Amino acid sequence: MSDDATLGDMLAKRGVSRRAFLKYAAYTASIMALPATSTKVIAQALAKARRQSVIWLSFQECTGCTESLTRSFSPTLEDLIFDFISLDYHHTLQAVSGDAAENARHTAMAENKGKYIVVVDGSVPIKDDGIYSTIAGMTNLDMLNETVKDAFAVVSVGTCAAFGGIPRAKPNPTGAVAISEIIKDKPLINISGCPPIPEAITGTLSYVLSFGKIPELDHLGRPKAFFGETIHDRCYRRPFYERGMFAKSFDDEGARNGWCLYELGCKGPVAYNTCATLKWNGGTSFPIQSGHGCLGCSEPDFWDMGGFYKPLSTSLGSVGTAAAAAAAAGAIVGAGSAMLARRHQENYLKDLADKDEEI
Ligand code: FSX
């Protein structure tokens, strides 16, 4: 089908029914917390849209973000690639290699100047002129700058791209930085998580495709629809927290009865993400449901927060101690966790400035 074909044309050709298409539009509206009336708007916008050119760059990362994307349930990765976007370049998923791959990137940039979206997963090493990670003979830094120059928007997928992630963990030997520290002149969306929830990736892309603009973001550049609440806000174990009922070890009676995992190091009160509602693998489960505390992987510097199995009271210093005391009384949290999170994020922003001076 010609490049002028709309998504509506393509979906019809593939035999996707109007009912199935509306169902997808309704799902997208619901996970983006949009009013039900948006379903029609999304469906109409998507039906008229041309396939969006997407160039996906992978830098210092573990490929977990792409693994996550391939497990998207709505739309599936196949739906996304065949119907909604033209994935013109992707280090892991593309069949071509070498010059053919680089030619595909350059062709997509030239043919879609000013309109394509660059998705990036992984951080960028900038120490020693960026020599610690190169692709096709280019440093990640050069490839990022070259590719983003004519893009419409940039989407940083995963905590590595959004905040530096694990490559940036102390002592950060490669001088890893977040994409937002390099790209300052383009609309940029952070979809954090190590890895991010697949529907947060596909839902955000669908939103941009439907409305031609970026969704409402929080102060760390993340879509509020997915990152507007903490895990703790929606955690099904929260009633135990409120009553001061905490598991003390992973095999005690409290753990077996589903009590709160706060004292076993759960970072849910300071982790903004949608794991407790969208969950993973098509809504099957999420870490806390399987008995393990949240690692806080969607937050800046989660690897250096002071220990996955230490309660926030000890891993976040005096701020945490105050929260822990209140937690033991089975009180606070709404306001307390927001305060903790904000304090942590303020520290992160300050750290960023300090680290930039060190690199
Ligand atoms: Fe990072 Fe993603 Fe964690 Fe891994 O691409 S967010 S290490 S899941 O793979 O970048």
Side-chain angles (χ1 to χ4, degrees), residues 6-88:
T6 63
L7 291 180
D9 296 334
M10 299 184 65
L11 291 165
K13 189 162 188 264
R14 274 170 43 89
V16 175
S17 70
R18 179 177 156 75
R19 185 183 170 81
F21 186 54
L22 283 173
K23 204 168 155 193
Y24 169 69
Y27 177 76
T28 301
S30 80
I31 63 173
M32 295 293 294
L34 298 169
T37 48
S38 304
T39 298
K40 203 170 161 195
V41 178
I42 291 175
Q44 286 172 344
L46 282 177
K48 282 189 207 149
R50 303 285 189 276
R51 282 170 88 212
Q52 171 71 53
S53 171
V54 173
I55 298 176
W56 186 303
L57 306 174
S58 297
F59 298 141
Q60 290 194 130
E61 44 83 32
C62 76
T63 313
C65 299
T66 292
E67 282 287 335
S68 177
L69 179 68
T70 60
R71 280 149 186 78
S72 170
F73 274 72
S74 186
T76 64
L77 180 64
E78 291 79 8
D79 292 338
L80 190 71
I81 292 176
F82 291 121
D83 297 335
F84 296 104
I85 64 169
S86 173
L87 191 57
D88 294 321

